[in-house]
Amino acid sequence: KRQGNDAFRKGDIQSAVERYTAALQSIPMNGGTGSSGKSNTKMMESTLFSNRAMCHLKIAETKGSSTNNSNDMQQSLRDCIEDCNSALDRLDLVGSDSSSSSNNNLRGKVLYRRAKALVTTSQTNIHSTDNDKEENLNAAAKDLLQLLSFDANNKEAAALLRAVRTLHGKMGGGLGRSRISRALDLLRGRMTNDTNNTIASRDGDKDM
């Protein structure tokens, strides 16, 4: 894992993929003893899948700059989504055995990466039908709303969700007051209320 992280920081993304893959293969199928040991193993697997998903996303972005690499780009996006699915499956198995903060932090990264891959797929896959594009955008919106439900101040997720609504609105004459639009408006209201409550709480704690 450390070698993968080092390779990623140096920009050697393919080597990072290979290192994360090797790390995953080195983990015993039933690794860890007891509830705590198994949870730690699942968290490590989830982290490795998440890191590798990020690599696939980076590779897709690089290939996307060349029209000759369209098929390779789509494969990298599929690999990213598949790794995100695997990461979330492991996190679900961890359940409440791990601290909610570390679990949510990792879950947020995975959800964002999967959403970004889904949005990119909807916009770059020339073989996608309108239904395919709509399904990808819906899935991305669902991931982002879940992320923002426990990390309401995540600016990247909020920005991507707004982009999803804009893209979705351009399809089929626009969604108007669609479920995505209503959910985003509700989220904005909730974030505003949370911010106001935080400010009021701080003001109440100040010495007069």
Side-chain angles (χ1 to χ4, degrees), residues 119 123 137 144 156-170 180 184 188:
V119 173
Q123 299 304 296
L137 290 175
L144 294 167
E156 287 185 323
L160 185 55
L161 184 57
R162 287 194 295 271
V164 168
R165 186 173 70 168
T166 299
L167 291 169
H168 215 159
K170 293 178 180 179
I180 294 177
L184 184 54
R188 282 174 173 166

Side-chain angles (χ1 to χ4, degrees), residues 38-132:
K38 290 181 178 179
S39 291
N40 290 337
T41 298
K42 294 303 177 187
M43 281 293 291
M44 176 57 71
E45 288 178 338
S46 184
T47 299
L48 290 168
F49 277 118
S50 174
N51 289 357
R52 195 171 70 176
M54 184 63 202
C55 291
H56 290 312
L57 194 57
K58 286 288 187 182
I59 292 172
E61 290 173 350
T62 300
K63 293 181 183 297
S65 61
S66 172
T67 56
N68 296 326
N69 290 321
S70 176
N71 290 334
D72 291 342
M73 177 187 185
Q74 295 306 315
Q75 183 59 55
S76 293
L77 291 171
R78 287 192 292 270
D79 290 340
C80 174
I81 293 170
E82 183 176 334
D83 275 355
C84 287
N85 293 341
S86 297
L88 291 171
D89 287 343
R90 268 63 175 185
L91 277 179
D92 289 339
L93 291 174
V94 171
S96 60
D97 292 333
S98 179
S99 68
S100 59
S101 60
S102 59
N103 192 313
N104 282 345
N105 181 54
L106 181 55
R107 186 178 297 275
K109 291 179 180 179
V110 177
L111 289 170
Y112 180 80
R113 288 165 187 172
R114 186 169 70 176
K116 193 167 185 180
L118 286 165
V119 173
T120 304
T121 298
S122 74
Q123 299 304 296
T124 59
N125 191 340
I126 60 175
H127 302 295
S128 292
T129 65
D130 285 346
N131 285 338
D132 293 333

Side-chain angles (χ1 to χ4, degrees), residues 131-194:
N131 285 338
D132 293 333
K133 294 177 181 179
E134 186 172 359
E135 287 180 3
N136 284 330
L137 290 175
N138 283 340
K142 183 178 179 181
D143 280 348
L144 294 167
L145 287 170
Q146 182 183 346
L147 191 170
L148 290 163
S149 71
F150 58 80
D151 186 9
N153 294 319
N154 190 311
K155 295 181 179 179
E156 287 185 323
L160 185 55
L161 184 57
R162 287 194 295 271
V164 168
R165 186 173 70 168
T166 299
L167 291 169
H168 215 159
K170 293 178 180 179
M171 298 177 60
L175 290 178
R177 294 293 298 164
S178 67
R179 180 172 59 182
I180 294 177
S181 297
R182 293 194 300 271
L184 184 54
D185 289 341
L186 178 63
L187 177 64
R188 282 174 173 166
R190 185 183 305 155
M191 291 172 66
T192 299
N193 289 335
D194 289 344

